């Protein structure tokens, strides 16, 4: 997988390979000829004005778009070399491997503990010791343990927004995914909670491949290793975050990140 | 906010160009004061440096800090503001060096006013060429900044070696005269100091030009400018003004 565009970096041994991806909602084309790779265990940020196809793109990676009527996808997306649109592929297994965190936190109306172990119970694990250990480990990993360890069996709905979002991240990592997709995970949080989520993302890096959609350019600059700038369904520029924010190669990127457009 | 930062950057550019013009005028005046042995003009140079130039430097710095804090600029805007912050410092130092030259004029005058203004104290002709080169460097530095002309910035950097050579030959020539005629020591030592100030001004011009190249191309060329035999075509990042 090679691109000829000098504004789009070639990632060596990418975990996610996107090749010639076109996506249509009925007649209208939402993604146009996307070809790029996403590095394993790094944070990749997708930026661009509203409607440029960022969320549509990440929803392709765990096939969330399957649920949308009239949607057609062309091209190839492979994870670890395996085509995810292969009819023989187990979509449930794909979504276990590729977790997702949404803009608005969505804990189940259950206890904090049950939220974390839900995926494990579905997978048939009933051993209390195993579940207890997983709950503690994931809550610690999501930097939430100290705040909730005394009320694990109380409803998750009593947590603050920032805590609920970290709970959703803990729940996502409980099933040991390899990739975590985040669709504007901080856009409804205050700066302090945002800071904690950003710290968490930096900590999870190295263990999980994280792909994050964000409208907050400073956030992309702070937390990501690579940044992709999209506009009208096309990939305009893709490269190391530091390069993109100090010396972008395309004028369109410069105009967008400096606020002259968008 | 989108329009805002462009307007602010335009304003900042005008501000630093204004400072550059004030420093250039003062530099030319200090050279004139020496050449014409005019202590009043020299005092004027020092007053302008302590007053207008120093306060302009502070206001440019405050403006840069304000833009960094309020707009969190990136890419070309970030490089522009950081470059202005550095140029601001270099311009202020050039202003100080011009004042230092003026100070030498006053010292020489106060030492022996009659002798200083007489033909007995000639300023050697070789100073003329060094002054001209340094002032050329300064003018073209400001022009390279305004037009983001990296080719011109590079040319200015190359001129620095010439000024260094001039300073070295002035120094050895003055030292020779002192050996022959020690009575002239005080006077000639002050002239060597003037040559050193000029040489430092040329160094600051080089610093500014290296920053201009960074601003336009995002490449840090400091410390190895001479190794770059040719520079790629310049890229325009900020609006002309």
């Amino acid at each position: 997988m090679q691109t000829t565009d000098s504004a789009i970096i070639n990632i060596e041994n990418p975990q996610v390979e996107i090749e010639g991806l076109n996506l249509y909602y009925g007649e209208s084309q939402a993604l146009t000829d996307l070809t790029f790779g996403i590095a394993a265990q790094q944070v990749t940020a997708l930026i661009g004005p509203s409607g440029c196809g960022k969320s549509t793109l990440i929803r392709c990676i765990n096939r969330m778009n399957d649920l949308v009527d009239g949607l057609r996808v062309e091209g190839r997306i492979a994870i670890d070399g395996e085509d995810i649109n292969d009819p023989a592929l187990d979509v449930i297994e794909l979504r276990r491997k590729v977790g997702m965190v949404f803009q608005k936190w969505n804990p189940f109306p259950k206890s904090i503990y049950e939220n974390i172990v839900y995926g494990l119970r579905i997978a048939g694990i009933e051993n209390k010791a195993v579940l207890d250990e997983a709950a503690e480990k994931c809550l610690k990993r999501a930097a939430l343990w100290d705040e909730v360890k005394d009320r694990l069996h109380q409803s998750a709905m009593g947590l603050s927004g920032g805590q609920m979002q970290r709970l959703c991240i803990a729940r996502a990592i409980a099933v040991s995914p390899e990739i975590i997709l985040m669709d504007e995970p901080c856009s409804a949080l205050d700066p302090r909670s945002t800071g904690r989520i950003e710290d968490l993302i930096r900590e999870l890096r190295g263990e999980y491949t994280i792909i994050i959609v964000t409208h907050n350019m400073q956030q992309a600059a702070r937390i990501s290793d690579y940044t992709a700038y999209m506009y009208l369904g096309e990939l305009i520029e893709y490269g190391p975050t530091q390069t993109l924010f100090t010396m972008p190669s395309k004028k369109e990127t410069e105009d967008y990140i400096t606020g002259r457009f968008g | 906010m989108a329009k805002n930062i462009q307007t602010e950057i335009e304003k900042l550019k005008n501000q630093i160009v204004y400072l550059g013009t004030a420093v250039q005028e003062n530099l030319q005046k200090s050279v004139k004061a020496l050449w014409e042995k005019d202590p009043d003009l020299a005092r004027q140079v020092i007053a302008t440096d302590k007053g207008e130039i120093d306060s302009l430097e502070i206001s440019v710095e405050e403006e840069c800090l304000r833009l960094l804090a309020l707009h969190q600029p990136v890419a070309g805007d970030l490089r522009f503001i950081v470059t202005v912050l550095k140029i601001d410092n270099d311009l202020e130092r050039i202003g100080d060096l011009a004042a230092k030259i003026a100070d030498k004029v006053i010292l020489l005058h106060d030492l022996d006013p009659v002798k200083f203004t007489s033909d007995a104290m000639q300023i050697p002709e070789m100073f003329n060429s060094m002054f001209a080169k340094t002032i050329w460097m300064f003018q073209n530095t400001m022009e390279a900044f305004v037009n983001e002309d990296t080719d011109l910035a590079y040319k200015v950097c190359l001129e620095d070696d010439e000024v260094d050579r001039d300073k070295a030959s002035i120094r050895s020539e003055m030292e020779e005269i002192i050996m022959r005629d020690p009575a002239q020591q005080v006077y000639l030592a002050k002239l060597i100091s003037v040559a050193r100030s000029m040489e430092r001004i040329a160094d600051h011009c080089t610093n500014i030009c290296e920053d201009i190249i960074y601003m336009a191309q995002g490449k840090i060329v400091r410390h190895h400018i001479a190794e770059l035999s040719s520079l790629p075509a310049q890229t325009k990042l900020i609006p002309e003004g």
Side-chain angles (χ1 to χ4, degrees):
Chain A
M1 189 191 61
Q2 290 282 313
T3 85
T4 47
D5 190 337
S6 63
I8 295 170
I9 193 181
N10 277 308
I11 300 284
E12 300 239 345
N13 305 319
Q15 182 168 28
V16 182
E17 293 166 81
I18 298 164
E19 268 182 280
L21 186 73
N22 285 288
L23 183 142
Y24 306 84
Y25 289 114
E27 289 300 300
S28 82
Q29 185 163 10
L31 298 176
T32 307
D33 212 17
L34 300 181
T35 297
F36 68 110
I38 290 170
Q41 282 139 32
Q42 303 274 301
V43 180
T44 301
L46 303 179
I47 61 168
S50 296
C52 72
K54 309 177 295 282
S55 297
T56 302
L57 172 61
I58 68 164
R59 285 160 162 271
C60 288
I61 298 171
N62 66 350
R63 284 182 54 184
M64 290 277 288
N65 287 329
D66 285 10
L67 312 169
V68 180
D69 282 341
L71 182 133
R72 190 158 52 86
V73 180
E74 290 167 1
R76 178 172 180 269
I77 298 180
I79 295 177
D80 298 323
E82 202 180 348
D83 186 346
I84 62 161
N85 289 306
D86 185 334
L89 181 114
D90 177 356
V91 180
I92 305 292
E93 175 55 23
L94 171 71
R95 292 187 188 142
R96 190 205 57 74
K97 193 172 172 177
V98 186
M100 191 155 186
V101 175
F102 298 87
Q103 177 175 5
K104 181 76 193 191
W105 43 88
N106 53 353
F108 303 133
K110 290 170 174 284
S111 70
I112 294 166
Y113 179 88
E114 284 302 325
N115 263 278
I116 305 291
V117 302
Y118 186 82
L120 299 173
R121 283 199 202 278
I122 298 258
I125 298 168
E126 288 297 338
N127 183 325
K128 189 172 179 302
V130 173
L131 296 180
D132 285 355
E133 194 190 328
E136 181 173 342
K137 186 176 145 231
C138 295
L139 286 167
K140 280 185 173 162
R141 204 76 192 79
L144 192 58
W145 176 252
D146 289 341
E147 292 162 58
V148 301
K149 64 182 180 210
D150 301 325
R151 48 171 169 153
L152 288 177
H153 297 286
Q154 291 176 18
S155 170
M157 309 314 275
L159 297 173
S160 74
Q163 287 172 327
M164 283 201 238
Q165 192 62 306
R166 277 181 281 146
L167 179 68
C168 290
I169 295 174
R171 187 179 63 190
I173 61 183
V175 293
S176 310
E178 290 177 22
I179 299 170
I180 304 174
L181 307 175
M182 298 187 173
D183 194 350
E184 295 190 52
C186 304
S187 61
L189 295 176
D190 67 20
R192 188 157 175 266
S193 303
T194 298
R196 302 198 71 154
I197 302 273
E198 288 181 3
D199 289 346
L200 178 57
I201 291 171
R202 291 305 299 175
E203 271 178 41
L204 297 176
R205 174 188 174 275
E207 198 173 334
Y208 305 94
T209 301
I210 297 172
I211 306 168
I212 179 168
V213 166
T214 177
H215 271 125
N216 180 336
M217 243 123 23
Q218 262 74 41
Q219 179 171 72
R222 280 193 298 266
I223 62 173
S224 69
D225 301 289
Y226 294 95
T227 300
Y229 169 56
M230 293 176 68
Y231 180 59
L232 295 178
E234 290 180 45
L235 182 64
I236 306 295
E237 185 160 351
Y238 177 44
T241 297
Q242 192 181 342
T243 311
L244 200 115
F245 282 95
T246 54
M247 191 69 200
S249 60
K250 290 252 175 107
K251 186 165 184 310
E252 294 101 300
T253 315
E254 171 105 20
D255 286 349
Y256 180 69
I257 63 174
T258 56
R260 280 169 175 69
F261 149 83
Chain B
M1 164 128 173
K3 276 230 165 69
N4 218 350
I5 180 126
Q6 281 180 78
T7 322
E8 303 264 31
I9 281 198
E10 200 54 44
K11 259 168 57 191
L12 180 63
K13 188 176 182 180
N14 289 338
Q15 232 177 321
I16 189 94
V17 170
Y18 187 74
L19 171 62
T21 312
V23 170
Q24 184 177 326
E25 265 177 32
N26 229 25
L27 173 62
Q28 283 167 327
K29 274 185 193 165
S30 72
V31 169
K32 193 170 179 229
L34 177 70
W35 219 252
E36 297 180 357
K37 300 176 176 176
D38 181 347
D40 289 338
L41 188 57
R43 271 187 275 274
Q44 214 181 311
V45 168
I46 292 169
T48 308
D49 183 61
K50 296 277 164 281
E52 190 186 7
I53 290 175
D54 285 357
S55 81
L56 277 172
E57 184 229 353
I58 300 289
S59 62
V60 168
E61 183 174 328
E62 282 173 346
E63 193 58 17
C64 290
L65 295 175
R66 192 178 71 81
L67 293 184
L68 288 171
L70 298 188
H71 292 271
Q72 291 139 29
V74 291
D77 294 344
L78 176 67
R79 299 201 307 278
F80 179 80
I81 294 168
V82 169
T83 301
V84 168
L85 199 51
K86 296 177 82 182
I87 291 180
D88 187 41
N89 189 40
D90 281 309
L91 287 177
E92 191 270 338
R93 298 286 302 125
I94 293 175
D96 284 350
L97 289 162
K100 203 172 164 191
I101 294 173
D103 192 45
K104 294 289 172 294
V105 175
I106 296 169
L107 276 174
L108 285 170
H109 178 268
D110 292 354
L111 220 57
D112 189 344
V114 178
K115 194 176 166 202
F116 181 56
T117 45
S118 74
D119 285 345
M121 272 196 182
Q122 282 287 346
I123 295 160
E125 200 49 41
M126 61 201 302
F127 274 85
N128 212 358
S129 130
M130 188 193 192
F131 289 168
K133 278 177 203 158
T134 310
I135 288 172
W136 179 91
M137 280 178 75
F138 188 85
Q139 284 168 337
N140 284 282
T141 296
M142 290 315 292
E143 192 166 326
F145 172 73
V146 170
N147 300 322
E148 275 188 69
D149 185 342
T150 52
D151 291 342
L152 184 58
Y154 184 61
K155 267 187 216 153
V156 172
C157 291
L158 295 182
E159 192 70 16
D160 187 43
D161 287 346
E162 286 276 316
V163 175
D164 288 351
R165 273 194 288 276
D166 283 355
K167 181 222 153 194
S169 52
I170 285 176
R171 190 194 171 98
S172 57
E173 182 140 341
M174 297 301 112
E175 283 172 351
E176 251 175 56
I177 303 176
I178 293 172
M179 298 284 264
R180 285 201 307 268
D181 181 5
Q184 291 209 61
Q185 186 177 1
V186 175
Y187 172 62
L188 294 180
K190 299 273 181 290
L191 287 187
I192 293 176
S193 160
V194 167
R196 199 183 304 124
S197 295
M198 272 291 163
E199 185 244 358
R200 296 286 302 128
I201 289 172
D203 289 345
H204 285 291
C205 291
T206 310
N207 289 350
I208 295 175
C209 285
E210 287 164 351
D211 290 334
I212 293 167
I213 294 168
Y214 168 73
M215 176 176 82
Q217 299 179 336
K219 281 190 305 192
I220 297 176
V221 296
R222 198 163 56 248
H223 311 311
H224 52 89
I225 186 96
E227 295 161 25
L228 302 167
S229 51
S230 69
L231 292 171
Q234 55 163 321
T235 43
K236 291 261 177 196
L237 288 165
I238 49 166
E240 281 178 37

